[in-house]
Amino acid sequence: MAALTLLLGAEAAVAACGTDEAACEVDLGVYHAQVPEGDIKGAILYLHGFGGSGEGALGPRDWVNTALARGYVLIAPDGLPIAEGRGRGWSFVPGRPERRDEHAFLRSVRDDAAARFGFDADEMILSGFSIGGSMTSYMACEAPKSFAAYAPVAGGFWRPHPTACSGPVRLLHTHGWTDGTVPLEGRVLRGGDATNPEALMQGDIFYTLRMWREVNACNQLRADRFVTQGPFMRRAWDRCAEGSALEFALFPGGHVVPSGWADMMLDWYESL
């Protein structure tokens, strides 16, 4: 009876909001949602890339179908409008004015979605693509206890890099070997070249990994495990702070969410 009540409650919530026609609203913004058929196993809060939207992020694609089939509710909030006709983004770049308290917004989406769709807020993964991956990384650094695990794709810190984070995390970073939009070494977006401290520059993913090793108190520089499965070459650090987890997955591609990512990421998360 309790299971039936939960299912009916989730169906009513879906009817009320989360569809293309009616986004769910919280104080600082809106989000979209897709709910799997059958039992709910967990949830992924997914942040779109530059110029995207929550609705667009949940369009038909490989990782969306995989996650739904595995029983995960998908939550995709809208970033802030960038400029007319340029879509949306996230307010996280160091030294730039804060346009919204993104941490408060994402936590409010987490709690509202958990109440609406009937899952445990403590079992939500935060993920994102490109600048959504960057926003994911900053949330993991500055408020690591906000989500159960973090899974950025093709996005990390920007320059100037953080010099410290708040505590250990469970994090899997995925990146394309030939990514030219967010290269592994970063790139200058405007303001001259890398010698100009005022230039707007993406960060170095290798520096990001060093930061995570320090944050997680990993006692060795080199990885403890190397796993090649499908297109992914993974490095894992195991001798780290209790309860933490750190892996890096490279794939032979560019600036995309690669095929097979959802299965790999969820296998990682469920094994923690």
Side-chain angles (χ1 to χ4, degrees), residues 95-271:
R96 305 280 163 160
E98 183 180 81
R99 301 176 58 211
R100 174 172 68 183
D101 185 339
E102 300 287 26
H103 294 175
F105 172 52
L106 296 180
R107 283 191 288 264
S108 67
V109 170
R110 174 199 65 194
D111 294 341
D112 187 81
R116 286 183 188 274
F117 302 113
F119 61 84
D120 187 346
D122 293 332
E123 293 298 324
M124 177 179 272
I125 303 163
L126 181 63
S127 182
F129 172 69
S130 193
I131 61 168
S134 294
M135 185 69 248
T136 300
S137 299
Y138 280 101
M139 190 78 179
C141 179
E142 297 164 13
K145 295 183 179 179
S146 298
F147 293 88
Y150 297 85
V153 180
F157 296 134
W158 287 42
R159 289 175 168 86
H161 300 110
T163 57
C165 292
S166 295
V169 296
R170 302 199 295 180
L171 184 140
L172 167 64
H173 184 109
T174 304
H175 218 100
W177 178 251
T178 58
D179 192 329
T181 302
V182 182
L184 288 163
E185 301 81 6
R187 69 176 175 130
V188 180
L189 296 180
R190 63 173 180 267
D193 58 35
T195 63
N196 178 11
E198 301 300 320
L200 181 63
M201 290 185 283
Q202 297 166 345
D204 187 325
I205 299 303
F206 298 107
Y207 176 91
T208 298
L209 288 168
R210 190 186 84 184
M211 279 288 305
W212 293 133
R213 291 196 302 270
E214 293 175 355
V215 168
N216 280 7
C218 301
N219 59 20
Q220 295 292 332
L221 298 177
R222 73 183 292 273
D224 296 298
R225 286 183 294 116
F226 303 87
V227 179
T228 300
Q229 187 174 10
F232 300 103
M233 296 180 292
R234 296 163 61 181
R235 305 168 70 89
W237 289 265
D238 297 324
R239 290 176 287 174
C240 306
E242 184 178 357
S244 69
L246 178 61
E247 292 201 24
F248 178 47
L250 275 173
F251 64 93
H255 195 62
V256 296
V257 178
S259 178
W261 169 76
D263 272 327
M264 179 198 68
M265 185 272 289
L266 292 174
D267 286 346
W268 166 80
Y269 172 68
E270 292 172 8
S271 72

